[in-house]
DNA sequence: CTGTATCCTTAAAGATACTG
DNA sequence: CAGTATCTTTAAGGATACAG
């Protein structure tokens, strides 16, 4: 995002949010964090982005309390976890409107095994929103062909937020 | 967003979505569209952004079917309307984490008059998500001080998505 | 492995003027 | 009013090398 990432004069909460997570790559980093990615090199290879940019993004995310740095691992904070509806909602929106071949990942409620709705709720367990920790990731119809370690790991059904072994 | 706005290699639906609405200003434009802004000049003065950039953003939004152009007005399509949970969710996230003085706008369920929850549902009307058309906009605790016509209009409680008279 | 530091390229952002 | 056309600035993105 070039020039003045602060939306000067936009005195609304959406603009404030976009200052934190509205930059290029940022939301993809957060998504990967939900998937269980925690290490610098794993983000790097999975997102295929410049290391300097990744470093900068991770720093601002930590700075704003979206991620916390524990040793050499970046983990989602409470604020970061509360971003799940947005991340999931955007991904579903993209799938519905631009995903010809179906999603790449399916999110399944671990308790009952059903896929969660676009709004993040489980159809069979009542309207309650399902927390990320209660989700499992399964490969979708158009699961990727990339062969980096993280992508491969994501192709194996696993619990969300648990570190991905690479 | 500088350089390659396409997230090449990111074969996931989130990346696809971000290609459409992930650029700077875009989500603010969409938000304004929910508020009832429809005309070029109104977006321009309310967002205080370069006209060339606004023109480009509106074009891509129309191109991807988020907005439709009716004469000289830009209105949300079905795809655009379905972006509401994301826009509202992000705004709420910003409010909860960075909004010291409370929100600038309150979204109230027109049917019952209660403020909707962060997940877009009405607490008093059961867990069903409230559609944007059933919402009213009211000024919040920290409603802005900007004095352009659109900002003033937004300070008056009104129905969402109905054109703002300026 | 986890980053900084450097350099280069590109194009987004912004300002301004101009046209239909 | 609704845009297009230029022009300049600036920083983001990207590649590579280097350090802790």
């Amino acid at each position: 995002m070039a020039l003045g990432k602060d939306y000067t004069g936009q005195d609304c909460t959406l603009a404030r949010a976009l200052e934190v997570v509205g930059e290029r790559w940022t939301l993809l980093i957060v998504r990967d964090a939900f998937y269980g990615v925690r290490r610098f090199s794993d983000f790097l290879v999975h997102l295929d982005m410049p290391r300097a940019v990744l470093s900068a993004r991770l720093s601002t995310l930590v700075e704003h309390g979206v991620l916390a740095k524990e040793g050499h691992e970046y983990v989602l904070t409470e604020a970061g976890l509360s971003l799940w509806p947005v991340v999931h909602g955007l991904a579903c929106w993209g799938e519905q409107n631009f995903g010809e071949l179906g999603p790449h990942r399916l999110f399944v409620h671990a308790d009952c095994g059903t896929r969660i709705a676009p709004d993040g709720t489980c159809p069979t367990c009542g309207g309650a929103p399902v927390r990320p920790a209660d989700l499992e990731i399964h490969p979708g119809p158009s699961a990727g062909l990339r062969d980096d370690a993280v992508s491969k790991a994501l192709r194996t059904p696993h619990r969300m937020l648990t570190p991905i072994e690479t």
Side-chain angles (χ1 to χ4, degrees), chain A:
Chain A
M1 185 166 296
L3 283 220
K5 70 179 171 183
D6 60 313
Y7 296 81
T8 314
Q10 293 301 320
D11 58 348
C12 83
T13 54
L14 177 61
R16 302 294 316 278
L18 288 173
E19 287 175 20
V20 178
V21 297
E23 287 182 298
R24 189 158 149 70
W25 296 115
T26 302
L27 237 32
L28 294 175
I29 293 172
V30 172
R31 174 208 55 180
D32 274 14
F34 277 110
Y35 287 170
V37 181
R38 295 188 178 179
R39 303 179 69 83
F40 189 90
S41 61
D42 286 335
F43 285 110
L44 198 63
V45 65
H46 187 234
L47 293 172
D48 191 31
M49 63 188 290
R51 27 192 340 118
V53 178
L54 175 60
S55 180
R57 293 295 180 279
L58 288 172
S59 293
T60 68
L61 285 173
V62 168
E63 180 188 337
H64 288 96
V66 177
L67 296 178
K69 195 167 181 178
E70 300 178 353
H72 275 183
E73 297 197 331
Y74 297 90
V75 297
L76 287 161
T77 62
E78 270 305 312
L81 287 170
S82 66
L83 217 38
W84 170 245
V86 172
V87 172
H88 183 249
L90 247 187
C92 286
W93 184 79
E95 176 199 336
Q96 291 175 334
N97 293 283
F98 310 104
E100 308 284 290
L101 315 90
H104 292 257
R105 321 235 189 274
L106 291 173
F107 299 104
V108 169
H109 189 195
D111 293 359
C112 65
T114 48
R115 190 185 175 197
I116 61 171
D119 63 352
T121 62
C122 178
T124 61
C125 298
V130 179
R131 299 173 347 118
D134 296 327
L135 291 173
E136 285 174 356
I137 302 176
H138 294 257
S142 65
L145 333 96
R146 293 155 66 210
D147 63 346
D148 61 278
V150 176
S151 294
K152 281 182 194 161
L154 285 173
R155 239 167 275 148
T156 308
H158 65 289
R159 270 293 183 124
M160 229 170 153
L161 297 178
T162 60
I164 292 179
E165 301 297 335
T166 53

